[in-house]
Amino acid sequence: MTGAFAFPGQTPIAIAAGQGSLQGLLTLPARLCALVVLTHAGPAPAARDDALAVVLKHAGIGTLTLDLLTPAEERFADLQHNVSLLARRLLDGLALLKQRMLLGELPPLPIGLSAAGDCSPVVLRVAALRDHDIYALVCRGGLIDLAGALYLRSLAAPLLVLVDENDERSTTSNRRALRQLACPHELQTLPAAADSPTSAATFERVARATARWFIDRLPAANPATATVTPAAG
């Protein structure tokens, strides 16, 4: 990870992985009380993550947008479906965040996870493995059962699953998977968009539903103590 953080502001992040490095962007608002990691595997869904980051920023929630594939790996489509590989990399990213918190370079913030599509089962598995560190998560689309039955049953963090109203396969599969959970959970269907499913208006609707889940469920850190001490070099 990089040295000094821009606080408030944005800091590019690089995490060693295999033959390359994972690329991310840490965004810290001036009034910081929590952190949400926005994961993807492959080309960044900039419009979706940007819309969510803006809404979270107004609530005092920082974001780490993290690509779980190196630039060289993004041409291999099969890696986007490798839940075990992507989960290990997200765990590495979380370990570095926690290390920075222990060193005082980041405040001890509650963490949430957000993902869509192929990364949905990844964040669920990681949240189950790091149940003391992850306080809430949101999955949009994807098939959460691919995380594995053991992880579904052991998940403790509150989970929101968002599915498109016309995506019957994801809705049916995810409803079946949710029956295995003991943690608080909710499935919300998103109304079919009159405009494009990738339009700014659609992203804003998803961002507001996602942000509301985190705002309601992430324990608020004390904004007065949520300061960053930049690292040397």
Side-chain angles (χ1 to χ4, degrees), residues 82-93 122 125-126 129:
N82 191 326
V83 175
S84 295
L85 171 68
L86 300 181
R88 287 197 301 272
R89 290 181 171 182
L90 179 53
L91 286 167
D92 288 343
V122 174
R125 180 178 291 193
V126 168
L129 289 167

Side-chain angles (χ1 to χ4, degrees), residues 142-220:
L143 303 174
I144 62 171
D145 63 304
L146 297 179
L150 173 64
Y151 303 100
L152 290 170
R153 291 194 293 267
S154 59
L155 182 67
L159 167 66
L160 172 65
V161 177
L162 298 171
V163 293
D164 294 329
E165 151 178 274
N166 55 0
D167 189 346
E168 295 183 7
R169 176 172 178 260
S170 290
T171 301
T172 300
S173 176
N174 286 325
R175 285 193 189 279
R176 184 167 53 246
L178 289 174
R179 289 198 286 269
Q180 301 185 58
L181 301 183
C183 65
H185 58 273
E186 185 175 327
L187 184 142
Q188 292 183 16
T189 56
L190 300 167
D195 46 12
S196 166
T198 58
S199 71
T202 300
F203 286 136
E204 183 177 356
R205 285 194 291 271
V206 172
R208 292 192 179 281
T210 301
R212 175 49 56 192
W213 187 261
F214 287 125
I215 291 167
D216 289 346
R217 286 159 182 83
L218 288 176

Side-chain angles (χ1 to χ4, degrees), residues 12-214:
I13 299 296
I15 301 172
Q19 300 301 311
S21 60
L22 309 180
Q23 303 301 310
L25 183 66
L26 180 68
T27 302
L28 302 176
R31 193 171 184 272
L32 179 63
C33 65
L35 182 67
V36 170
V37 182
L38 312 176
T39 63
H40 59 276
R48 184 190 74 210
D49 286 349
D50 287 351
L52 179 54
V54 168
V55 177
L56 292 174
K57 178 181 178 181
H58 287 301
I61 299 175
T63 55
L64 171 60
T65 303
L66 183 62
D67 188 349
L68 298 178
L69 294 178
T70 68
E73 292 170 338
E74 291 182 353
R75 67 180 183 272
F76 301 110
D78 58 320
L79 291 179
Q80 299 176 16
H81 310 293
N82 191 326
V83 175
S84 295
L85 171 68
L86 300 181
R88 287 197 301 272
R89 290 181 171 182
L90 179 53
L91 286 167
D92 288 343
L94 290 173
L96 286 174
L97 285 176
K98 297 296 289 187
Q99 180 186 52
R100 290 301 182 98
M101 292 179 189
L102 290 172
L103 292 173
E105 297 161 9
L106 276 174
L109 300 167
I111 297 175
L113 300 178
S114 176
D118 292 330
C119 282
S120 288
V122 174
V123 296
L124 192 149
R125 180 178 291 193
V126 168
L129 289 167
R130 296 292 295 269
D131 62 334
H132 296 297
D133 296 326
I134 306 303
Y135 288 84
L137 64 158
V138 176
C139 298
R140 184 191 176 189
L143 303 174
I144 62 171
D145 63 304
L146 297 179
L150 173 64
Y151 303 100
L152 290 170
R153 291 194 293 267
S154 59
L155 182 67
L159 167 66
L160 172 65
V161 177
L162 298 171
V163 293
D164 294 329
E165 151 178 274
N166 55 0
D167 189 346
E168 295 183 7
R169 176 172 178 260
S170 290
T171 301
T172 300
S173 176
N174 286 325
R175 285 193 189 279
R176 184 167 53 246
L178 289 174
R179 289 198 286 269
Q180 301 185 58
L181 301 183
C183 65
H185 58 273
E186 185 175 327
L187 184 142
Q188 292 183 16
T189 56
L190 300 167
D195 46 12
S196 166
T198 58
S199 71
T202 300
F203 286 136
E204 183 177 356
R205 285 194 291 271
V206 172
R208 292 192 179 281
T210 301
R212 175 49 56 192
W213 187 261
F214 287 125

